[in-house]
């Protein structure tokens, strides 16, 4: 339909072929991401920095204020999840969704984000993926979350993305990526 419209508007002009699908960055088993994070709920708006280490079945997420003070530390491993908040006892649960919902009042989708940050849906769950003109994922919808990819870096990894679900929006800007060997 778009090609017909372009032909009609352009007279006899030819329509360029669609771009080839972008070659995705290979999945890294272990990586570290540093960046900025913004969380918008119906009640509050927070911003800060994130340092996320992923590998060996373990995720360690450190959230800091814009001035670098530790705000929260989430550790997910095969035994469960722990959350450390300043001045509070360590909280534990079997999954991160339950833990963050109980402690923060909203879920942080750490398990899904480990895939989404690499521009892929979790392969064990149903998902809808919409590709952009460059062949890269422009949107993933999975587990009730919508992940919009706003910008990719020169290394083909997502640089800016928005993760949203009813009443919650998480904006993530990846300033640096390091893959572990």
């Amino acid at each position: 339909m778009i090609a017909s419209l372009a032909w009609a508007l352009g007279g006899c002009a030819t329509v360029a072929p669609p771009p080839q699908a972008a070659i995705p960055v290979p999945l890294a088993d272990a990586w570290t991401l540093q960046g900025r994070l913004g969380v918008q709920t119906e009640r509050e708006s927070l911003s800060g920095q994130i340092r996320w280490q992923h590998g060996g079945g373990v995720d360690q997420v450190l959230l800091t204020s814009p001035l670098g003070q530790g705000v929260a530390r989430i550790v997910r491993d095969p035994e469960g999840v722990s959350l450390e908040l300043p001045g509070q006892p360590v909280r534990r649960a079997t999954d991160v969704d339950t833990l963050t919902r109980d402690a923060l009042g909203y879920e942080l989708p750490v398990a899904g984000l480990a895939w989404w940050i690499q521009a892929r849906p979790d392969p064990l769950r149903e998902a809808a993926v919409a590709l952009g003109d460059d062949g890269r994922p422009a949107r993933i919808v999975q587990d009730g979350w919508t992940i919009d990819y706003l910008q990719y870096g020169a290394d083909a990894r997502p640089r800016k993305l928005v993760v949203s679900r009813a009443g919650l929006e998480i904006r993530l800007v990846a300033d640096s990526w390091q893959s572990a060997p």
Side-chain angles (χ1 to χ4, degrees):
M1 179 171 184
I2 294 174
S4 299
L5 181 60
W7 182 80
L9 294 175
C12 293
T14 59
V15 177
Q20 292 183 341
I23 299 171
V25 173
L27 277 174
D29 291 329
W31 45 263
T32 299
L33 172 131
Q34 291 188 28
R36 292 166 280 148
L37 185 74
V39 178
Q40 178 76 43
T41 70
E42 294 171 348
R43 296 176 295 168
E44 62 186 337
S45 178
L46 309 166
S47 64
Q49 299 171 10
I50 183 171
R51 178 178 169 82
W52 185 349
Q53 293 178 293
H54 171 84
V58 176
D59 285 291
Q60 294 184 45
V61 180
L62 177 62
L63 304 173
T64 59
S65 71
L67 300 176
Q69 296 173 314
V71 174
R73 182 172 180 255
I74 301 168
V75 178
R76 183 176 72 106
D77 61 29
E79 296 174 13
V81 183
S82 64
L83 172 65
E84 298 174 29
L85 298 169
Q88 296 184 23
V90 175
R91 295 179 185 217
R92 300 185 192 289
T94 56
D95 66 89
V96 72
D97 294 345
T98 301
L99 182 65
T100 57
R101 183 180 52 243
D102 291 347
L104 305 174
Y106 50 86
E107 294 177 17
L108 291 178
V110 174
L113 271 173
W115 289 98
W116 304 334
I117 194 68
Q118 297 184 78
R120 289 176 169 78
D122 180 336
L124 300 177
R125 298 175 171 357
E126 190 173 323
V129 178
L131 301 178
D133 292 339
D134 60 1
R136 297 178 183 156
R139 171 177 277 182
I140 294 175
V141 177
Q142 189 170 43
D143 295 336
W145 294 93
T146 300
I147 305 89
D148 289 308
Y149 297 90
L150 306 180
Q151 181 182 20
Y152 283 85
D155 62 358
R157 293 184 183 202
R159 171 145 161 63
K160 293 181 181 179
L161 58 130
V162 176
V163 179
S164 58
R165 184 155 102 177
L168 176 65
E169 180 179 278
I170 302 167
R171 293 186 167 270
L172 179 66
V173 177
D175 291 324
S176 72
W177 277 94
Q178 292 179 330
S179 293

